[in-house]
Amino acid sequence: MSKSKKSAIAAILALILSIQTGVIASAAPASEPLADSSAASSKPTAFGNAVYNKANKLLKDSDVAYAKSYITKHIGSVTKYQATMLILKLENAMNDALPAKTDKVYTIGIQDKLMNLYKYGEPINTTISKAKDETLRKVLINLRDSGYRLYTTEGVIFPIIDYKTLEPYKPYINKDVQAYIDIMVVESEKPAVSDAALVISWSEVIDRGLSLEAFLTAYPKSNRAADMKLKLRFTELSLFYGYNNTPLFKYEDNLLDPEVRQAFDKALKNSDAVSKSALLKKLKAWSDVLESNKDKLTQEVEQYRAKAVPVVD
């Protein structure tokens, strides 16, 4: 593989890691009401305002688990706008606490016990039920109550945000954040990449990209629009460059992986859908260039993708 191709894929993988492990800079809560805030469940009450203020303080000063528990107990007492703000801030707090939670899991006496205990994909409650060591149990219980689940890649186990734990809040919050949680549940339940390899189908990569595009069309001013744009960029990078262990073009002959071609053709067969989607239009142009080069990574193909989807903006 050429040095330029290695550098491009390495940059993509760095972006993937930041997205999948939850270390993207947390978006600041909006200072203005979000979309649908006029549909607040009720007018603010003295008790609701007290709850909102205490929850904000807990999110700043307390462990995420305690703040999350308080919000869960009292979210029905605040307005829809207040509830939406609290859930956005809760997610921010979960992201901010993640490095420290991860360091705790990496410590000697925790990581080694987890390696012998945790089975890939199992719910954290299952891991807790098997843990006999009291220190390990406390760490795992805190992770669960803080809204994390365990994941493993590259031979280590670490926590990621379990977005399913945010689903119970959906009836109380604005539609854009409901839709955001739905997207993030899919991402956290089945991350796209593990060990520098794609672990979902190429068709699912495209489908996830279309979901992101639909979100941005419906909620362009959402507080989480920037995060969704970053994920959409990751989707485009995936479809134009592939991954180290799941290359778009086979290393031995530089020919496009037949599964990629099948996914492209399937996504592009509906011309009406293509005409309504910027992502599919870009994919169609990319597919046409590939076909004109007999699905081989030529200099023309390299130059085209470098211009259409640059690795560095």
Side-chain angles (χ1 to χ4, degrees):
M1 188 188 305
S2 69
K3 183 176 179 181
S4 62
K5 281 188 265 187
K6 287 182 179 178
S7 298
I9 294 176
I12 294 166
L13 290 173
L15 174 62
I16 292 166
L17 183 61
S18 71
I19 291 172
Q20 293 203 155
T21 57
V23 296
I24 296 174
S26 301
S31 58
E32 297 296 327
L34 304 180
D36 301 313
S37 64
S38 60
S41 57
S42 63
K43 293 181 179 179
T45 64
F47 179 70
N49 287 337
V51 166
Y52 181 68
N53 291 333
K54 181 175 180 179
N56 274 304
K57 188 174 188 306
L58 291 176
L59 286 168
K60 291 179 181 178
D61 302 336
S62 300
D63 186 78
V64 175
Y66 183 68
K68 189 172 185 296
S69 175
Y70 181 83
I71 291 171
T72 300
K73 183 176 180 180
H74 294 291
I75 194 167
S77 299
V78 300
T79 65
K80 181 170 284 192
Y81 171 71
Q82 289 173 328
T84 301
M85 294 298 291
L86 287 179
I87 300 312
L88 289 172
K89 292 178 180 180
L90 173 59
E91 188 206 12
N92 286 349
M94 293 163 79
N95 271 313
D96 291 343
L98 191 57
K101 303 288 186 186
T102 302
D103 287 344
K104 189 75 173 178
V105 171
Y106 282 171
T107 57
I108 297 174
I110 299 296
Q111 183 71 197
D112 52 342
K113 288 184 175 69
L114 274 178
M115 292 296 290
N116 294 322
L117 196 67
Y118 173 72
K119 302 299 181 185
Y120 179 81
E122 72 181 12
I124 195 168
N125 275 332
T126 301
T127 313
I128 291 171
S129 70
K130 295 187 294 184
K132 305 301 181 185
D133 181 84
E134 191 59 30
T135 300
L136 176 59
R137 281 182 59 83
K138 287 181 179 179
V139 170
L140 292 175
I141 289 170
N142 179 262
L143 288 176
R144 178 197 65 192
D145 294 348
S146 300
Y148 303 105
R149 61 186 289 261
L150 296 175
Y151 189 69
T152 181
T153 186
E154 302 288 354
V156 293
I157 298 168
F158 52 90
I160 62 174
I161 294 178
D162 182 359
Y163 280 89
K164 286 186 75 69
T165 68
L166 299 184
E167 286 184 324
Y169 304 125
K170 285 173 57 180
Y172 304 96
I173 62 179
N174 290 346
K175 289 181 179 179
D176 65 316
V177 184
Q178 292 179 32
Y180 169 76
I181 290 173
D182 289 340
I183 288 172
M184 296 306 293
V185 165
V186 173
E187 296 280 345
S188 68
E189 286 295 293
K190 194 175 180 182
V193 180
S194 180
D195 294 333
L198 186 67
V199 293
I200 62 174
S201 70
W202 286 105
S203 287
E204 189 168 352
V205 172
I206 297 169
D207 288 343
R208 289 187 184 189
L210 293 174
S211 294
L212 295 168
E213 186 178 62
F215 177 94
L216 290 167
T217 298
Y219 309 110
K221 296 183 179 180
S222 171
N223 183 274
R224 291 306 191 246
D227 287 349
M228 297 294 94
K229 286 179 182 177
L230 181 57
K231 286 183 174 293
L232 184 56
R233 171 164 165 71
F234 156 59
T235 298
E236 291 182 350
L237 287 166
S238 302
L239 295 171
F240 277 68
Y241 294 91
Y243 311 89
N244 277 345
N245 293 331
T246 311
L248 213 63
F249 301 91
K250 293 179 180 286
Y251 291 136
E252 60 269 24
D253 55 16
N254 280 337
L255 289 175
L256 187 69
D257 186 327
E259 292 185 4
V260 177
R261 169 49 62 196
Q262 290 172 13
F264 282 13
D265 290 346
K266 178 183 176 182
L268 299 172
K269 66 181 180 180
N270 186 331
S271 59
D272 185 56
V274 172
S275 69
K276 296 176 181 177
S277 166
L279 176 61
L280 291 182
K281 287 178 183 176
K282 182 174 285 191
L283 190 63
K284 176 68 166 60
W286 174 226
S287 177
D288 289 347
V289 170
L290 291 172
E291 286 185 332
S292 69
N293 284 269
K294 299 181 180 179
D295 281 350
K296 187 167 186 175
L297 182 60
T298 63
Q299 185 176 7
E300 179 186 353
V301 169
E302 289 237 39
Q303 291 175 345
Y304 178 85
R305 70 177 178 179
K307 184 176 180 181
V309 182
V311 174
V312 180
D313 285 331

